[in-house]
Amino acid sequence: MASPVDPDRLKVLSEAPLWLALLHVNRGATIHSRGESYVDDDSFFLHPDGATDALAELEKTVALTSAPGSEARCRFPARYRYLAEQLGWPLEGAFSHCDEYQEWFAQIPRQRLVLVFPASYLNSPSSMFGHTLLRLDGSDDPETVWPSWAVNFGAAVSGQENSMLYVYRGLAGGYPGRFVIVPYATKIQEYSHMENRDMWEYTLDLEPEEIELLVMHLWELREVNFDYYFFDENCSFRLLELLDIIRPGTSLLDGFRLAEPPVNTVRALYEADLIEERVYRPSKAVELEADRLRLDKHAQRLSKRLMKDPTLAQSDAFLAYSESDRHLMARLAFRTLRFKYRKKERDADVAQRSFALLRVMNAYQYDGDDQIAAPVPPEMGHGTQMLSLGGGQLDNTDFGEIGYRFTYHDLIDRNTGFLRGAQIEGIDLRFRSTDSEALKLQTADIVHIRSLSPRNRMIKPISWFVHGGLERAQAGGRKRLVRFVQGGPGLTWQAGGFMPYAFAVARVENNSAYSPLLEGGGGASAGALWYLPWAEINLGSEGIYFGNDEYRHRQFFHVNIPLGRQDALRAEWQRDAWRGDNENGFSISWRHFFD
């Protein structure tokens, strides 16, 4: 039994950053439970008031872990290590009686710790902004990752839930969150293969004993529940909180966080000088597209036919190509086949064709360059929030306008570090005033998501969008603030930086000028994006026809000129027409981005 510890010494230790980090105490980073532990699980605490009283938890931990053979040591090895280093307790053999812990600890690789950032995936509400997880490697070789383990934090969702319910409960804190450790190979399959997400890997500059402390603490967090909130207490925030244990003096959690997009986690680690190396791993979709662009259009067509009938590898048309091109055509056919059936159970025909295409690939050598150039990394993109200030004219009336967007990126924001054709906007507000009217709300987009996925000869993805909020629209002889939700499927094509698109549109609107509570309508929209070296352009037209015989037409032309990473000029022209009248408006605004 260790000697009693001076109470004043215990008080000092209970206020140390590392002890507070081990208890996951909120020191003012989020609005939830300030001054209390983020852990929402009584099993994590030894004292009944441990979640709110760090000193009481420390005193109880000292009392229960000081004796050799203590079960509390086995349950909280990281806490014991902290106390041993501060109080001079022995570390050698301290956990010799903890068979289950030692067996678990021995199988976890601890050579290197890597932050993994799978890029945005618009078809999953939990992954629209990307995701972050940690990878524990047993080797310094970046290519030897299959034996690695992944440390992931996420909502503990029971069964299948629809996307809208998931988003609602994620915003309201309706799910518990947990850390889990799984083989990294399963995450590669999920993110790169199934969801076609590029993956960025950031090796952290850490000492072996720092990684060891993190692994010891992960044992303490097994099956422990945290609160989970979609915006702030999410996967990225929890990883910063976890890394704060390794480097409690790096101020990773300094400052209030209303939201924690995953890309901000990467930026925080760069600011703390914790990142040693960055590696880009393209998704299967990117690899497929790179193969396609290495072939001319005739070879692409033949590759598509080969995918359906591998016996064409014996045809004169196929054999007329070079050995390298034959390999590439077979590989493109194979990758396209696997891509199309990645979420389905392959039947005998698909398996047979896959095997036949592999044999063709192996029969020929490819002498080209397989290297795929890494795009600009996500942390080099603009900030996740935006303020705008501008003015313009609507017919003959001048106006001033101020705007704020909580998150994240629209189609023609500076696309450096972002996926072209992807838009995720949440809480986008515009306020407008004129000489005769005070400042009032013009639009409030609660959510506006667009996924423009270009089609080509090999794959034919469906684009889609959803848009909901409030906007001012002409109805009943004047402009009214109406509530609406609209969306629909579409098609997108691409030629270099030029991306034409077309959508079917369904709309439901709550308008005080209409007698039904909800009025439905439908129509179509079409337009084009044009990404130039000095600007981004979006032009298009939309028509909506309502069941009450009202209609609205809109034509627009928007130009965004970046002035650097965090600033841009935006010029917008728009013509709105409705039954009996129309109006033209033009505006120019300065937009500033920040985190």
Side-chain angles (χ1 to χ4, degrees):
M1 178 72 69
S3 302
V5 184
D6 178 68
D8 291 337
R9 175 65 171 152
L10 288 180
K11 188 174 189 311
V12 170
L13 293 180
S14 73
E15 295 171 350
L18 179 53
W19 180 251
L20 296 177
L22 286 170
L23 296 185
H24 296 264
V25 173
N26 177 6
R27 285 164 275 173
T30 66
I31 62 176
H32 309 292
S33 60
R34 292 186 183 183
E36 302 178 11
S37 174
Y38 287 114
V39 177
D40 188 27
D41 196 320
D42 291 341
S43 67
F44 185 71
F45 303 101
L46 295 172
H47 190 279
D49 299 324
T52 58
D53 191 334
L55 175 58
E57 185 68 15
L58 179 71
E59 291 172 339
K60 193 69 172 179
T61 304
V62 168
L64 294 180
T65 61
S66 59
S70 163
E71 284 302 314
R73 287 188 188 183
C74 303
R75 175 68 184 88
F76 296 106
R79 292 193 196 181
Y80 177 81
R81 174 172 154 169
Y82 167 70
L83 293 173
E85 291 174 345
Q86 298 300 318
L87 300 175
W89 293 355
L91 273 171
E92 184 72 29
F95 309 111
S96 58
H97 62 293
C98 306
D99 295 339
E100 185 181 0
Y101 164 67
Q102 290 199 92
E103 181 180 353
W104 176 88
F105 188 78
Q107 67 178 324
I108 303 299
R110 303 183 297 278
Q111 183 69 26
R112 188 174 63 162
L113 187 65
V114 179
L115 178 81
V116 181
F117 180 91
S120 301
Y121 180 59
L122 295 187
N123 290 334
S124 170
S126 63
S127 304
M128 289 178 182
F129 303 100
H131 182 57
T132 49
L133 62 150
L134 296 175
R135 191 184 75 216
L136 288 158
D137 293 345
S139 166
D140 285 331
D141 183 358
E143 299 304 318
T144 309
V145 298
W146 290 100
S148 301
W149 288 75
V151 181
N152 189 66
F153 180 85
V157 181
S158 57
Q160 296 292 324
E161 294 191 359
N162 66 64
S163 296
M164 293 304 296
L165 179 60
Y166 178 87
V167 170
Y168 169 74
R169 294 189 66 183
L171 291 171
Y175 295 113
R178 290 180 184 171
F179 284 98
V180 295
I181 304 178
V182 297
Y184 185 62
T186 64
K187 289 299 177 183
I188 293 178
Q189 178 68 19
E190 176 184 350
Y191 294 130
S192 180
H193 297 192
M194 299 297 288
E195 296 184 351
N196 299 304
R197 300 164 71 174
D198 287 350
M199 298 178 71
W200 295 87
E201 300 174 355
Y202 302 86
T203 302
L204 303 186
D205 185 13
L206 299 173
E207 299 299 326
E209 57 269 21
E210 293 176 315
I211 300 175
E212 184 174 279
L213 176 62
L214 179 132
V215 173
M216 295 172 78
H217 186 61
L218 286 171
W219 169 265
E220 299 176 346
L221 296 176
R222 292 180 311 147
E223 299 183 3
V224 168
N225 290 331
F226 289 75
D227 290 330
Y228 176 88
Y229 291 90
F230 191 67
F231 278 125
D232 52 2
E233 294 184 38
N234 54 20
C235 63
S236 298
F237 178 82
R238 290 284 176 248
L239 290 191
L240 284 180
E241 191 183 336
L242 189 63
L243 293 172
D244 193 44
I245 291 163
I246 297 176
R247 297 278 181 91
T250 53
S251 305
L252 289 174
L253 293 176
D254 277 5
F256 176 70
R257 283 171 162 76
L258 184 59
E260 188 62 31
V263 69
N264 285 354
T265 299
V266 179
R267 291 169 180 157
L269 294 178
Y270 267 109
E271 289 172 4
D273 199 26
L274 278 172
I275 293 180
E276 181 180 88
E277 181 187 20
R278 179 179 61 218
V279 174
Y280 167 67
R281 295 188 186 275
S283 69
K284 293 301 177 184
V286 169
E287 291 178 343
L288 190 158
E289 179 66 1
D291 276 354
R292 186 183 72 84
L293 294 177
R294 292 183 181 112
L295 294 168
D296 63 38
K297 62 181 181 181
H298 301 293
Q300 290 178 30
R301 292 192 187 102
L302 184 53
S303 179
K304 185 174 182 178
R305 292 170 56 204
L306 187 69
M307 177 187 69
K308 299 176 181 178
D309 182 8
T311 64
L312 288 175
Q314 307 302 319
S315 68
D316 292 340
F318 183 81
L319 296 173
Y321 283 90
S322 67
E323 179 174 342
S324 184
D325 280 350
R326 291 178 217 165
H327 174 94
L328 197 54
M329 284 189 286
R331 189 170 74 184
L332 176 60
F334 174 76
R335 285 178 167 174
T336 304
L337 187 64
R338 295 292 298 267
F339 181 87
K340 287 187 173 183
Y341 288 90
R342 70 193 185 280
K343 294 185 179 180
K344 303 175 184 176
E345 289 191 15
R346 285 181 290 161
D347 57 23
D349 175 63
V350 173
Q352 186 176 13
R353 281 187 283 154
S354 296
F355 181 69
L357 291 169
L358 279 174
R359 293 185 64 180
V360 176
M361 286 170 54
N362 293 330
Y364 303 106
Q365 294 295 318
Y366 177 61
D367 58 12
D369 183 7
D370 269 338
Q371 190 69 29
I372 296 176
V376 176
E379 69 272 13
M380 299 301 292
H382 61 70
T384 54
Q385 300 184 67
M386 185 272 295
L387 282 172
S388 66
L389 183 65
Q393 190 174 75
L394 186 62
D395 285 340
N396 295 317
T397 302
D398 295 331
F399 64 82
E401 193 170 77
I402 186 170
Y404 167 74
R405 188 177 70 200
F406 180 58
T407 191
Y408 173 62
H409 178 77
D410 71 22
L411 290 175
I412 61 170
D413 281 333
R414 177 177 179 266
N415 62 89
T416 301
F418 291 86
L419 180 66
R420 288 183 174 182
Q423 171 171 309
I424 310 172
E425 289 187 293
I427 313 180
D428 186 11
L429 308 174
R430 286 194 186 190
F431 297 88
R432 182 177 291 183
S433 67
T434 66
D435 290 338
S436 59
E437 292 185 321
L439 195 69
K440 64 181 180 181
L441 182 65
Q442 183 70 15
T443 63
D445 288 343
I446 305 305
V447 62
H448 192 177
I449 302 169
R450 287 183 182 263
S451 175
L452 274 60
S453 302
R455 301 161 70 84
N456 57 54
R457 286 188 180 90
M458 306 305 293
I459 57 174
K460 310 290 184 183
I462 299 297
S463 300
W464 62 274
F465 84 101
V466 61
H467 184 191
L470 298 91
E471 67 176 4
R472 294 201 175 272
Q474 283 286 349
R478 64 181 180 88
K479 277 198 169 182
R480 303 167 187 266
L481 198 62
V482 304
R483 292 143 292 279
F484 72 96
V485 175
Q486 64 182 34
L491 304 177
T492 305
W493 300 266
Q494 185 169 11
F498 186 68
M499 295 176 64
Y501 59 83
F503 286 95
V505 181
R507 180 179 174 108
V508 177
E509 182 176 301
N510 171 233
N511 189 326
S512 60
Y514 300 156
S515 56
L517 177 65
L518 297 174
E519 184 64 60
S525 68
L529 294 172
W530 197 359
Y531 293 102
L532 299 171
W534 55 274
E536 297 87 11
I537 298 172
N538 187 17
L539 70 160
S541 179
E542 179 180 277
I544 302 289
Y545 294 82
F546 293 92
N548 60 4
D549 203 33
E550 294 285 344
Y551 68 81
R552 298 194 195 115
H553 292 170
R554 172 172 292 172
Q555 292 80 43
F556 61 87
F557 182 82
H558 299 167
V559 180
N560 189 78
I561 302 175
L563 303 177
R565 175 174 171 253
Q566 300 286 44
D567 295 279
L569 284 178
R570 177 74 61 94
E572 300 179 334
W573 171 85
Q574 186 167 295
R575 180 181 185 274
D576 288 304
W578 56 93
R579 188 172 296 282
D581 208 349
N582 66 82
E583 63 184 13
N584 289 271
F586 172 81
S587 68
I588 187 167
S589 61
W590 166 72
R591 296 158 69 87
H592 176 68
F593 298 86
F594 59 99
D595 293 319

